[in-house]
Amino acid sequence: MEIRDYTPNDEAGCLAICRSLDIKPDVGAFASYLAQPPDFYYVAEHDGVIVACGGFGLDRSGAELQWGMVGKQWQRQGLGRFLLFHRLREIGKKSNVEMVRLRAPVSESAFFAKQGFRETASQGAEVDMVKRLAVCS
């Protein structure tokens, strides 16, 4: 398993992951996101096949995890956790951010809660969650 920076050549593989999911994110919005290559977006490859992807954005209020997903056939093997920890580590390397936020479907909130995120708001089928990266200063 290798995690590396996203390149425009990875677009088809990432869109295929998006389409494979039972709870399909907005594929059009994801394609638009990928059309302007994000600064911090990664793909996980296994034997040359993209099996997961996800990134983050930085702004004045901290970091936000963006478009993290694991292909349906690759779920429940620890790849989501592996990719999440990679992104959290990269956030720490690239900024002094202490809080990381995300918006996720309610069905995925238990996964993030197990990784130390706590719910801050609920908006219909989605929840907002945060996690503190730095425990002391």
Side-chain angles (χ1 to χ4, degrees):
M1 179 68 55
E2 174 192 8
I3 295 183
R4 61 171 176 75
D5 291 342
Y6 169 87
T7 70
N9 292 335
D10 300 321
E11 180 181 19
C14 291
L15 290 173
I17 288 172
C18 187
R19 288 184 189 104
S20 78
L21 302 175
D22 290 333
I23 300 174
K24 292 186 182 3
D26 182 340
V27 177
F30 183 46
S32 293
Y33 176 80
L34 294 176
Q36 299 175 0
D39 290 332
F40 308 113
Y41 203 73
Y42 307 95
V43 296
E45 281 187 323
H46 177 69
D47 290 337
V49 175
I50 296 174
V51 297
C53 52
F56 63 89
L58 296 173
D59 60 29
R60 291 180 185 201
S61 64
E64 180 177 18
L65 296 179
Q66 300 171 337
W67 292 105
M69 57 191 96
V70 176
K72 183 176 180 177
Q73 68 274 27
W74 296 96
Q75 293 180 356
R76 304 228 176 251
Q77 297 180 40
L79 298 177
R81 186 170 178 240
F82 186 66
L83 180 61
L84 172 63
F85 288 156
H86 175 82
R87 293 187 289 165
L88 294 175
R89 198 170 35 254
E90 290 299 308
I91 289 168
K93 288 180 188 177
K94 296 179 183 349
S95 70
N96 293 329
V97 167
E98 292 185 16
M99 295 296 283
V100 176
R101 62 189 185 281
L102 62 85
R103 178 169 288 163
V106 171
S107 61
E108 295 176 11
S109 63
F111 165 80
F112 289 106
K114 287 179 188 175
Q115 311 313 318
F117 284 82
R118 64 178 174 78
E119 186 175 327
T120 59
S122 179
Q123 300 177 9
E126 295 183 326
V127 294
D128 293 335
M129 302 181 86
V130 297
K131 177 183 176 77
R132 179 174 295 282
L133 288 185
V135 292
C136 55
S137 50

